[in-house]
Amino acid sequence: MMSNYPICLAAYSLNEDRIKSSSGGIFAEIAKIVLDRAGVVFGAAINTEGKVFHKYITKEEELQDLLGSKYVQSDLGNSFSNVKSFLKDNRLVLFCGTPCQTEGLLSFLGNKPDNLILIDFICHGVPSFKVFHNYLQEISQNREVEKIFFRDKENGWLDYSFRVEYKNGEVYKCIYNRSNYMHGFIYDLYLRPSCYSCSFKGIDRNTDITMGDFWGIKEEEPEFYDKDGVSVLILHNEKSKQLIDLVQNKIKFIVIQVDEIVKHNSSIIKASDKSIMHDLFFFEMKKGVSHVVEGIKNPNIVQKVRNKLYRGVYKKIVAPRSLKRINKASAQKGSIPVIYINKEECCGCSACLSACPKNAISMREDKEGFLYPKIDKSKCIGCKNCIRVCPNKNLEKNRQV
């Protein structure tokens, strides 16, 4: 394997865990290496209400909870503080998250310890828990949820389905391009505001490995295609190459060019474009997620007129007033730090919460269901640790870590 970085690979695991993973199952193989060395693995899990949250595991039998994509923003809770504690105990730690979450962790730590393995992925953006929870309730119709799979590969990796299993034995299954939730996600109807101006795009990253789906494999590397899923990996440093060396007998891989990744997965270098119907979706979401998405995707005559009028009004009136209102509502005076002014500036990584020495910061849900830091003025001492660890405010500093 070449040694100039970044190195790009197409890869997939030879283990059965690949079926439970979204694409090639490489994360699972690396996680097992960490767990075999008495390490700790942090990743995103999902509960039966549709809430996605980061947790850590120390045993291989717990790994199943962290496999598979979850198209909802993860609540990090105290994950950053826990990572720091394990690192201080000289434990090997693997943390996997969105690009903004990994940057937030680096900002919080202030450096990149040798015993920390960072994995991020090619991120399209994140919807809120509120959107997904509402959608889950709509399709479940009071049935108790047992398991949720955003990328069920029963029909193959490229024709994945959204699948929900219920405690009564029933199953809801919908191929991705017919799912209103997945449609709204892919077409940027309800991503977090910061996702539309994401600062963490690009090929070169501070993580060790960037992972994603090799969507263009049939065009670029047809002989390497496998129906159960193929990942693209971008190795950023020697540590990542050593990790691949450790699992090379458990995976199959070939070296590819970065252009093969970018051509078919532009989210690696480009932020999602905010749908002009974003605000309309949240305004009408109380009518039902599926109903609103369908009315935007396949509108009837009345909805077509509404959509056309909304587009015109939004451009001329709603958008300018909305931005002004956010600026006014977020302005603060005195010694209380201003963590963000516009919502686009906050990725919700919760680094500020973890860094506050007085527990003066909590993450509060806004009307769209996204979490934002809220400062308790009675506890704040004005130390501005929250500002120092904000990844959006420390982009240049983090690039030197």
Side-chain angles (χ1 to χ4, degrees), residues 127-194:
S128 73
F129 162 66
K130 184 176 183 179
V131 174
F132 181 64
H133 178 67
N134 287 1
Y135 175 75
L136 187 62
Q137 287 186 316
E138 292 168 20
I139 64 172
S140 297
Q141 299 178 341
N142 296 319
R143 291 173 291 183
E144 291 187 74
V145 174
E146 181 73 30
K147 293 181 181 178
I148 300 168
F149 305 90
F150 285 89
R151 298 271 297 276
D152 177 82
K153 295 193 289 189
E154 184 179 357
N155 298 326
W157 163 58
L158 295 180
D159 293 313
Y160 66 86
S161 298
F162 174 74
R163 176 187 175 98
V164 181
E165 296 179 358
Y166 297 99
K167 291 183 179 179
N168 65 2
E170 294 180 357
V171 174
Y172 173 90
K173 184 177 178 180
C174 183
I175 193 167
Y176 76 96
N177 58 9
R178 295 179 183 175
S179 165
N180 278 326
Y181 182 80
M182 293 303 295
H183 182 94
F185 167 72
I186 292 170
Y187 290 96
D188 311 324
L189 272 180
Y190 36 70
L191 304 182
R192 188 182 181 93
S194 61

